[in-house]
């Protein structure tokens, strides 16, 4: 199974377990929210997927100027 196809996720923030997520199909309200957020994420930068192995992947949202080295958001996916 692909890493991002896992049906259940545990959320950790700053090393502390803080919740969980379950994969599901997007409903109409979800799509409306994503449409509202699109200009915000497009103005900030772009997500870059980095595959470490079959067991780990990361998403980095970098600034519009890729040479700045600043990353606003890091999301790590690790299969346990």
């Amino acid at each position: 199974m692909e890493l991002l196809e896992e049906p259940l996720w545990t959320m950790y923030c700053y090393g502390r377990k803080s919740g969980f997520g379950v994969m599901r199909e997007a409903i109409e309200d979800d799509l409306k929210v994503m449409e509202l957020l699109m200009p915000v994420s497009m103005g900030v930068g772009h997500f870059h997927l980095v595959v470490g192995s079959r067991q780990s992947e990361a998403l980095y949202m970098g600034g519009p100027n890729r040479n700045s080295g600043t990353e606003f958001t890091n999301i790590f996916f690790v299969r346990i």
Side-chain angles (χ1 to χ4, degrees):
M1 175 185 306
E2 294 290 324
L3 183 63
L4 295 179
E5 293 177 357
E6 289 288 339
L8 182 64
W9 294 91
T10 301
M11 164 67 181
Y12 289 86
C13 185
Y14 297 109
R16 294 183 181 171
K17 188 174 178 181
S18 60
F20 69 95
V22 178
M23 184 179 284
R24 63 177 173 78
E25 291 293 322
I27 60 174
E28 187 175 336
D29 287 342
D30 297 329
L31 299 175
K32 287 179 185 177
V33 170
M34 295 306 290
E35 286 177 13
L36 288 172
L37 293 175
M38 188 182 329
V40 175
S41 64
M42 289 177 64
V44 172
H46 304 287
F47 277 108
H48 305 283
L49 177 65
V50 177
V51 178
S53 70
R54 291 189 66 221
Q55 307 303 327
S56 67
E57 297 180 10
L59 288 171
Y60 296 94
M61 178 180 259
N65 179 0
R66 292 185 182 188
N67 297 328
S68 69
T70 303
E71 292 158 351
F72 298 109
T73 303
N74 301 328
I75 303 170
F76 300 97
F77 300 96
V78 180
R79 191 186 323 261
I80 298 177

